[in-house]
Amino acid sequence: MTAPPLVLAMPGAQALAAGLAARIDGDCADVEVHDFPDGEHRVRVQAPLAARPVVIAAHLDRPDAKALPLLFTLDLVRELGATRVILAAPYLPYMRQDHRFQPGEAISSASFAAWLSGRLDGLVTVEPHLHRWPSLDAIFRIPTHAASATAAIAGWLRGQVARPVLVGPDEESEQWVARAAAALGAPHAVLRKHRSGDREVRVEGLDPAALAGHEPVLLDDMISTGSTVVEAASALRAAGAPARLCVCVHALFDAEAAARLAAAGLRVASCGTVPHASNAIDVTPAIADGLSALGLQAPCS
Ligand code: R5P
């Protein structure tokens, strides 16, 4: 009989680790990360893990300070005898840097994927920002599973809005918006976005006829500065169909952006891929299904 999986929580990912362990019949423990006064880190795992498959649960928003402790952990668990090392990172960072937009720019998504691929046997994430990359296979050399949040979003929305029309703020949001709308049995519309800076965004292409008789709900994969959905909300207001609700998968926004969103009349509901006050939709089951799809499950007794 093979050993049951051990789910290790990076700092801040204890709830995620516990939820996953319960669903794959494993148990969980913490990765202890000590911050030295000079800013360096030491990681420690006290749970016995030799000859066990290990899942590392990690929230990788604001990733740079988390990346080195993650690297040390991945190398550590391998060295301590884990049979497989799978990363469950509900938010996969750097995916928007999928192109050399200006000469000399790094394509960070490819670098980050190569870095992880060298240390992992598999990756599960949720709704990665696949825009110019057709799939995770384009940049990862390991088995990956991109879990969908759209069924969970549709299930949650069903209890919130009677006759929704889902509105995506830009072309790349079509993939999420169309799937969620299909799951909900609702219509959808997608706008066109022009970005000229981190916070400078313009949207166009709203067809008011597509909204008739429905309540618009904005949906995007992530909110960072809030500029994208605030501009989309403004276009909806100008068309006489103001949105009250905005759903996103990854809530990357800070308090300042939250205030802008509230000033635009938007209540935001996010999936729990990034711990955030707006979390309302649980995608842990979809992540656990992804782990099972990669062969991580409790052994048959
Ligand atoms: C980019 O295309 C993404 O799908 C989001 O629309 C974008 O990252 C949101 O960023 P912000 O909130 O800063 O406008």
Side-chain angles (χ1 to χ4, degrees):
M1 194 177 97
T2 53
L6 174 67
V7 184
L8 288 176
M10 294 303 292
Q14 285 82 1
L16 171 67
L20 292 175
R23 285 179 171 82
I24 62 171
D25 287 335
D27 43 50
C28 62
D30 287 348
V31 176
E32 299 161 29
V33 179
H34 174 71
D35 302 338
F36 287 112
D38 57 9
E40 296 181 6
H41 297 97
R42 180 192 63 219
V43 305
R44 183 179 187 201
V45 174
Q46 299 202 53
L49 53 76
R52 296 183 71 178
V54 169
V55 176
I56 309 286
H59 288 297
L60 294 183
D61 55 302
R62 290 169 175 75
D64 293 11
K66 299 173 180 173
L68 274 176
L70 177 63
L71 172 132
F72 300 144
T73 303
L74 297 178
D75 287 352
L76 173 67
V77 297
R78 184 81 70 190
E79 191 191 324
L80 294 179
T83 53
R84 294 182 73 201
V85 184
I86 308 282
L87 177 64
Y91 169 63
L92 185 59
Y94 284 112
M95 289 300 288
R96 285 167 293 177
Q97 291 181 36
D98 56 0
H99 179 70
R100 201 181 313 288
F101 297 97
Q102 306 281 342
E105 275 183 7
I107 304 176
S108 311
S109 52
S111 299
F112 195 62
W115 182 82
L116 286 176
S117 294
R119 291 187 158 74
L120 288 170
D121 299 307
L123 165 80
V124 178
T125 189
V126 180
E127 302 291 4
H129 187 83
L130 292 170
H131 183 189
R132 293 171 186 85
W133 298 122
S135 73
L136 291 176
D137 290 343
I139 47 174
F140 281 87
R141 303 189 308 269
I142 52 171
T144 58
H145 182 93
S148 175
T150 52
I153 290 171
W156 182 83
L157 271 174
R158 222 166 261 129
Q160 303 287 324
V161 183
R163 284 174 57 77
V165 51
L166 301 192
V167 180
D170 52 25
E171 287 99 330
E172 60 261 43
S173 68
E174 169 112 43
Q175 55 189 301
W176 306 287
V177 173
R179 272 191 275 126
L184 197 54
H188 74 276
V190 171
L191 310 183
R192 286 188 303 278
K193 176 168 80 180
H194 306 276
R195 185 185 282 283
S196 50
D198 289 341
R199 292 177 165 74
E200 291 76 42
V201 164
R202 187 169 58 77
V203 300
E204 61 180 11
L206 180 64
D207 173 11
L211 312 174
H214 290 81
E215 174 170 347
V217 174
L218 281 162
L219 173 59
D220 205 0
D221 63 333
M222 61 185 84
I223 300 177
S224 172
T225 66
S227 301
T228 299
V229 290
V230 165
E231 285 305 306
S234 156
L236 287 165
R237 216 171 23 254
R244 293 178 294 130
L245 181 59
C246 174
V247 175
C248 72
V249 181
H250 312 294
L252 302 175
F253 57 99
D254 61 13
E256 189 186 326
R260 290 183 64 208
L261 294 160
L266 292 172
R267 171 167 76 100
V268 181
S270 63
C271 302
T273 56
V274 174
H276 195 274
S278 63
N279 289 166
I281 303 164
D282 184 17
V283 290
T284 314
I287 303 169
D289 287 349
L291 292 173
S292 299
L294 292 187
L296 235 297
Q297 55 223 351
C300 299
S301 48

